[in-house]
Amino acid sequence: MIALRSILFNTAFYLNLILRMIVLSPIYFVIPRKKAFSIPKNWALSCHWLMKTIVGTTFTIEGLENIPKGGYILAPKHQSFWDTFALLPWLDDPVYILKRELLWIPLFGWYAKKQRMIPVNRGARGKAMAAVMAQTADEVRNGRQLIIYPEGTRRPPGAHPEYKYGIARLYRDLQVPVVPVAMHPGLFWPRRKFLRFPGHFKVRILPPIEPGLDPDAFFEKLMSVLEAASDELLVETARENPHVPLPPTAKLRLNELAREASANEDR
């Protein structure tokens, strides 16, 4: 049954994406940029409805009160394709730094260009990267929310963290709050797999880390608070969804946390 629901969901998900981009393009490309962002945001909401209706997966968001006004950096854990779009409806005017090759994709690239997403050549150095940083600073100063995944790429739930120092440089240069976000969508929408699993999980938006810290101190604080919240949610999500198959990384981390808890009780 899970395989059948997964096939139905994946089919509906991509049809929903393609048809909306085609049908709504005449509207999207003539209305003002920020107003046009309501179309991708509504698409994200429709994807949540599809996942709930077809797969039986739901989520709640905690900590919306921690989202500041204006420009800031959103720093979510990255486990799944789900978290690339899921929070769009709750953000005012988000912006991504993305591979320039994505802008070459018909329709998707045109949509991204209209929203002034920031293309980067991953092999770029010197002046090219300076231009990317200048554009990023302009967008954030204009009140947009820069979405950056601190680990750079999707990681399975419970995996040993591999944070990239680039977010510390952005924190130093942009001088805006950084908002960590803990969640485990990868248990229900695993990376590189077509299966989707029913259940419920939480997205936990943590208090912002205000600007002004030394970059190294910020980097350590971000890892500390985000990993602590992720561990807490992993234990909670696994306990409340015993039917969901856990990847080896999650099993290993849960065993480590159980041993740590037992050792603390014995002290």
Side-chain angles (χ1 to χ4, degrees):
M1 198 64 178
I2 287 177
L4 176 59
R5 288 183 176 183
S6 298
I7 293 171
L8 290 174
F9 170 77
N10 289 327
T11 302
F13 175 82
Y14 287 107
L15 282 176
N16 182 39
L17 172 62
I18 295 168
L19 291 177
R20 279 174 180 262
M21 283 197 294
I22 293 173
V23 172
L24 296 175
S25 286
I27 300 172
Y28 181 83
F29 290 109
V30 298
I31 62 178
R33 181 197 66 78
K34 190 171 179 180
K35 190 172 183 180
F37 220 145
S38 63
I39 291 176
K41 290 180 180 183
N42 286 329
W43 166 74
L45 289 173
S46 72
C47 293
H48 298 329
W49 182 85
L50 287 173
M51 200 158 183
K52 176 182 177 180
T53 304
I54 299 175
V55 183
T57 309
T58 59
F59 67 96
T60 54
I61 300 179
E62 299 177 345
L64 285 171
E65 68 278 4
N66 290 324
I67 294 181
K69 302 288 186 182
Y72 59 87
I73 298 171
L74 193 76
K77 293 288 283 186
H78 191 20
Q79 299 179 349
S80 166
F81 185 61
W82 183 90
D83 46 69
T84 63
F85 67 85
L87 299 181
L88 291 181
W90 292 273
L91 302 177
D92 178 48
D93 192 13
V95 61
Y96 293 84
I97 298 175
L98 43 73
K99 293 187 297 184
R100 63 174 182 173
E101 290 82 2
L102 293 176
L103 298 185
W104 302 341
I105 301 174
L107 285 178
F108 176 85
W110 306 338
Y111 269 66
K113 284 181 181 178
K114 173 154 180 121
Q115 292 305 324
R116 299 203 305 264
M117 299 304 171
I118 303 166
V120 60
N121 177 0
R122 289 193 169 182
R125 296 289 187 272
K127 290 183 179 180
M129 285 307 300
V132 168
M133 285 303 302
Q135 184 180 352
T136 302
D138 286 343
E139 297 293 349
V140 174
R141 275 196 294 265
N142 286 328
R144 301 190 71 181
Q145 301 80 50
L146 176 64
I147 301 176
I148 288 288
Y149 303 103
E151 293 176 274
T153 188
R154 290 176 298 172
R155 305 273 293 154
H160 181 75
E162 293 184 357
Y163 287 63
K164 310 300 182 187
Y165 197 76
I167 192 169
R169 298 189 183 96
L170 286 167
Y171 168 82
R172 176 198 63 198
D173 295 342
L174 298 180
Q175 289 293 301
V176 292
V178 173
V179 182
V181 183
M183 53 186 169
H184 289 290
L187 294 174
F188 304 87
W189 184 325
R191 61 175 193 159
R192 302 169 187 163
K193 293 183 179 179
F194 85 94
L195 290 177
R196 308 287 178 259
F197 298 102
H200 182 82
F201 64 96
K202 293 177 181 177
V203 175
R204 186 163 294 165
I205 301 172
L206 305 176
I209 302 174
E210 297 296 338
L213 293 176
D214 174 83
D216 291 341
F218 158 77
F219 193 62
E220 291 299 323
K221 183 172 183 178
L222 175 66
M223 287 194 295
S224 175
V225 298
L226 191 45
E227 288 307 306
S230 294
D231 284 342
E232 184 178 337
L233 279 182
L234 181 61
V235 172
E236 183 178 318
T237 307
R239 182 178 65 244
E240 294 177 358
N241 298 272
H243 59 284
V244 174
L246 299 175
T249 50
K251 292 178 181 178
L252 179 61
R253 186 57 184 155
L254 286 169
N255 288 335
E256 291 172 348
L257 292 170
R259 288 195 297 269
E260 291 174 9
S262 179
N264 289 333
E265 289 176 0
D266 293 340
R267 290 177 183 171

